[in-house]
Amino acid sequence: MSETDPSKTAFKRVLLKISGEALMGDQGYGLHPPTVERIAREVKSVHDMGVEICMVIGGGNIFRGLQGSAQGMERTTADYMGMLATVMNALAMQAALEGLGIHTRTISAIPMDQVCEPYIRRRAVRHLEKKRVCIFAAGTGNPYFTTDTAATLRANEMVCEAIFKGTKVDGVYDMDPMKHAEAKRYDRISYDDVLQKNLKVMDASAIALARDNNLPIIVFSLDEPGGFKGILAGEGTYTRVGA
């Protein structure tokens, strides 16, 4: 049997948050299909354990609202363009997952019925209960909110037990480990310390929302093969933020 007894896993329902940049591989822009498929296989390995999974994917590989705003574009318009970029990424991930035999739903905070489902909380919960992967797109549907905040909001609405934040490094460090060899990794850190030390885990709104709802954030390396599955099986290297 491919499935693992879910009672043997650390969590039964989780939200995976990844950046749009995670999908572009070494290209520097856009989508890199082999990278999308590799991440989809990581998701499938956890799905096969019997864990219910939802996802939020950023849009920075296609368009980032803050950068557009910095270049003179009106902020609200720029943010809506960024939300549309997340829908494109969600559809790409949906296609990759379905190619692996995983039933998947892209659910958008901005209604676009010919492309994906509108966000209805009870329907999304039912999809998870039926072991479908739900990919939440278009952020919160509002400008000025990041996909980090959207991920924390959706994780709370879906009653997830944790947010898994996939990054390029294996946890939270006191300084950038890519630039400082002496950087030290935290095994565990509080929400307040993340905010006070201005550690770039998620934006402040997302951290505060997670703290207020006692929702742990697991920061791990998405580039480590089998890392997502390993943590759910009680192994691997990561930082746990909060609860």
Side-chain angles (χ1 to χ4, degrees), residues 17 34 92 96 102 105 119 141 148 177 183 202 229 232 241:
K17 167 64 170 72
I102 305 296
R105 296 289 187 274
Y119 177 70
D148 280 345
M202 291 176 132
K229 178 180 179 180
L232 279 153
V241 179

Side-chain angles (χ1 to χ4, degrees), residues 181-200:
E182 70 276 18
K184 295 181 179 178
R185 185 180 60 80
Y186 298 99
D187 286 328
R188 193 160 188 156
I189 188 169
S190 71
Y191 305 111
D192 289 338
D193 280 347
V194 167
L195 292 171
Q196 289 167 9
K197 298 175 189 291
N198 196 29
L199 302 174
K200 304 299 182 183

Side-chain angles (χ1 to χ4, degrees), residues 6 29 32 46 52 65 68-69 71 81 85 90 96 103 113 128 135 144 164 180-181 189 196 207 222 224 226 228:
Y29 180 81
H32 184 237
V46 171
E52 297 171 5
S69 178
Q71 293 171 15
M81 290 173 68
H103 294 295
D113 295 349
L128 292 174
I135 307 175
Y144 295 94
F164 277 69
H180 305 278
I189 188 169
Q196 289 167 9
I207 295 293
L222 198 63
E224 182 69 31
F228 187 22

Side-chain angles (χ1 to χ4, degrees), residues 77-112:
T77 299
D79 279 356
Y80 278 121
M81 290 173 68
M83 291 180 219
L84 295 177
T86 72
V87 177
M88 295 173 69
N89 285 339
L91 292 172
M93 182 59 65
Q94 175 181 261
L97 285 167
E98 291 187 337
L100 297 173
I102 305 296
H103 294 295
T104 308
R105 296 289 187 274
T106 294
I107 301 172
S108 172
I110 299 174
M112 46 185 86

Side-chain angles (χ1 to χ4, degrees), residues 17-24 28-30 57-86 88-89 143-149 165 168 200-203:
K17 167 64 170 72
I18 61 177
S19 67
E21 287 89 344
L23 304 184
M24 68 187 184
Y29 180 81
I57 307 172
N61 57 319
I62 298 171
F63 188 87
R64 186 180 291 279
L66 274 174
Q67 289 178 352
S69 178
Q71 293 171 15
M73 187 178 293
E74 194 265 324
R75 172 68 188 271
T76 302
T77 299
D79 279 356
Y80 278 121
M81 290 173 68
M83 291 180 219
L84 295 177
T86 72
M88 295 173 69
N89 285 339
Y144 295 94
F145 289 92
T146 67
T147 51
D148 280 345
T149 302
K165 175 76 184 284
K168 293 184 179 299
K200 304 299 182 183
V201 178
M202 291 176 132
D203 67 66

